[in-house]
Amino acid sequence: MSVLVYTENWDGKFKKLSFELVSYATAVAKMINTSVTAVSIGKVDNEELVKLGSYGADKIINVIGENLNILDNQAYTTVLAGISKSENASVIVISNNNTGKAIAPRLSVHLKAGVGSGVSRLPLSLNPFTVYKRAYSGNAYAHVVIKSDIRILTLAQNSFDLAESKVTPVIVDLNPTLDPVKTVVKDVQKQSGKKLLTDADIVVSGGRGMKSADNWAPLVELAGLLDGATACSRPVSDEGWRPHEEHTGQTGKIIAPNLYIAVGISGATQHLAGISSSKYIVAINSDKDAPIFEAAQYGIVGDAMKVLPKLVDAVKELKK
Ligand SMILES: Cc1cc2nc3c(=O)[nH]c(=O)nc-3n(C[C@H](O)[C@H](O)[C@H](O)COP(=O)(O)OP(=O)(O)OC[C@H]3O[C@@H](n4cnc5c(N)ncnc54)[C@H](O)[C@@H]3O)c2cc1C
């Protein structure tokens, strides 16, 4: 029996997300008194792979193959299903990001395994196997009992602290023979020069209270100074003030940064659905009764046009 964790790499490098997943898998393995096997798919060098040992991976399966350098959900699922069986995995940990959401249900069918999606804490009990997750846009929580022998858990990003536990991992290379792929990715165009919203630790987001597309400069400047990303509410992207890829919420991106600064955003439930897992929410709003203040830990009641330039100056001063 083991805990299997699928770690994602980007161009051969692991990001914090993967270390979080291994930290979580290690903690689950401790609960059930077993070991952790991490799976990495695509070209990653050994120096990078051993980093997974720093978070508790006892064994790392380095899966390589011509068709595996670009994410192919079907091929990746086949690989993970095969390894789950050979490693006798009883728990499989995957991220709750877009990749995880594509792989987990497929894997669930392959392995007849129940899925606890978007879990944010360690299992509440092992018998029955019960996990905790937020529900209804963070307005409630659910205890989900998984009755299958294999359990797949998709972990909400930023919900589990990194935990170092120095292990010298065994690295095993695997070059599986796969059926010919059904879909071929011909071209991948990556966004460059801009911090990805889903990767950012800090997000500065604007709503209709920003009044017009012309007023975004101080918000973008603040995000840049904080090494963060920019986001917006849905009406803002509907108006064309900001690109659609920045829209967060029920119908947009779901993010969980350490800090979410909501500027001129009222805090509608559909917006909160995308950001309520943020560690800290700071709201800037001219209406002291705006619902966003109920979700926020810190708030500034004031005109965004006056508050933002002051924040920009304050951060510049701090960085001197
Ligand atoms: C099915 C459905 C799905 C939806 N999905 C989403 C979604 O994914 N994401 C999303 O965001 N919305 C979504 N919505 C829309 C959502 O209901 C709200 O209408 C929207 O979030 C409001 O956006 P807002 O807060 O920017 O604007 P508003 O609600 O208009 O709020 C603007 C805020 O700015 C404040 N303000 C005004 N002037 C200033 C100033 N000078 N300085 C500071 N503050 C100021 C106001 O007090 C107000 O609180 C959805 C709606 C539906 C029906």
Side-chain angles (χ1 to χ4, degrees):
M1 226 173 45
S2 67
V3 173
L4 196 78
V5 50
Y6 168 52
T7 59
E8 292 175 41
N9 71 79
W10 288 262
D11 295 331
K13 299 279 173 222
F14 295 117
K15 288 191 188 165
K16 187 178 153 234
L17 160 80
S18 290
F19 302 134
E20 260 172 37
L21 290 167
V22 179
S23 301
Y24 182 82
T26 303
V28 176
K30 273 195 187 127
M31 285 177 76
I32 55 180
N33 202 14
T34 187
S35 58
V36 177
T37 300
V39 180
S40 164
I41 306 181
K43 243 186 224 152
V44 179
D45 64 29
N46 268 30
E47 203 182 316
E48 190 69 15
L49 286 170
V50 291
K51 289 183 186 168
L52 301 175
S54 309
Y55 299 92
D58 301 285
K59 180 175 177 183
I60 297 162
I61 303 186
N62 177 33
V63 188
I64 37 177
E66 221 176 279
N67 294 327
L68 294 171
N69 285 329
I70 291 176
L71 173 68
D72 175 329
N73 296 324
Q74 293 180 11
Y76 279 33
T77 303
T78 308
V79 167
L80 285 168
I83 296 174
S84 303
K85 284 178 191 157
S86 62
E87 292 295 305
N88 197 14
S90 59
V91 178
I92 302 168
V93 178
I94 301 177
S95 173
N96 193 48
N97 61 6
N98 286 341
T99 306
K101 284 176 187 166
I103 290 176
R106 290 182 163 92
L107 200 54
S108 158
V109 174
H110 269 267
L111 299 172
K112 296 192 171 39
V115 182
S117 61
V119 300
S120 52
R121 292 184 184 173
L122 287 172
L124 301 171
S125 78
L126 297 177
N127 197 6
F129 197 93
T130 311
V131 292
Y132 172 99
K133 62 175 281 190
R134 294 154 69 91
Y136 298 109
S137 309
N139 289 317
Y141 62 86
H143 290 177
V144 178
V145 175
I146 307 177
K147 293 181 174 169
S148 52
D149 293 337
I150 304 175
R151 300 96 179 185
I152 298 171
L153 307 182
T154 67
L155 179 69
Q157 249 173 289
N158 268 337
S159 61
F160 198 77
D161 287 339
L162 296 182
E164 293 202 21
S165 52
K166 292 257 173 268
V167 171
T168 308
V170 177
I171 301 178
V172 179
D173 289 339
L174 182 73
N175 191 342
T177 313
L178 295 169
D179 289 339
V181 285
K182 297 188 182 82
T183 45
V184 177
V185 180
K186 289 197 160 171
D187 183 31
V188 176
Q189 292 188 3
K190 291 190 181 161
Q191 211 177 35
S192 61
K194 222 176 129 186
K195 189 110 190 168
L196 274 184
L197 187 48
T198 43
D199 284 351
D201 264 347
I202 298 179
V203 172
V204 189
S205 183
R208 212 150 36 184
M210 291 293 292
K211 305 280 196 278
S212 113
D214 302 332
N215 293 332
W216 240 263
L219 191 153
V220 174
E221 190 177 4
L222 182 62
L225 284 166
L226 297 172
D227 191 25
T230 48
C232 66
S233 66
R234 179 167 136 178
V236 163
S237 58
D238 285 348
E239 289 284 347
W241 297 353
R242 298 296 297 171
H244 268 290
E245 77 238 18
E246 288 195 358
H247 143 212
T248 52
Q250 186 182 311
T251 47
K253 293 219 164 79
I254 295 177
I255 56 170
N258 282 325
L259 174 62
Y260 185 80
I261 305 177
V263 190
I265 292 177
S266 59
T269 50
Q270 295 90 351
H271 186 79
L272 296 178
I275 59 114
S276 60
S277 295
S278 307
K279 266 206 176 121
Y280 295 98
I281 297 175
V282 174
I284 302 170
N285 199 299
S286 52
D287 174 8
K288 69 174 177 39
D289 296 320
I292 189 74
F293 286 122
E294 280 170 36
Q297 283 79 15
Y298 299 95
I300 300 173
V301 178
D303 180 352
M305 307 310 142
K306 292 184 182 147
V307 175
L308 274 177
K310 283 188 181 159
L311 272 180
V312 166
D313 288 346
V315 176
K316 278 184 181 161
E317 193 60 35
L318 274 174
K319 288 186 110 179
K320 263 185 191 166

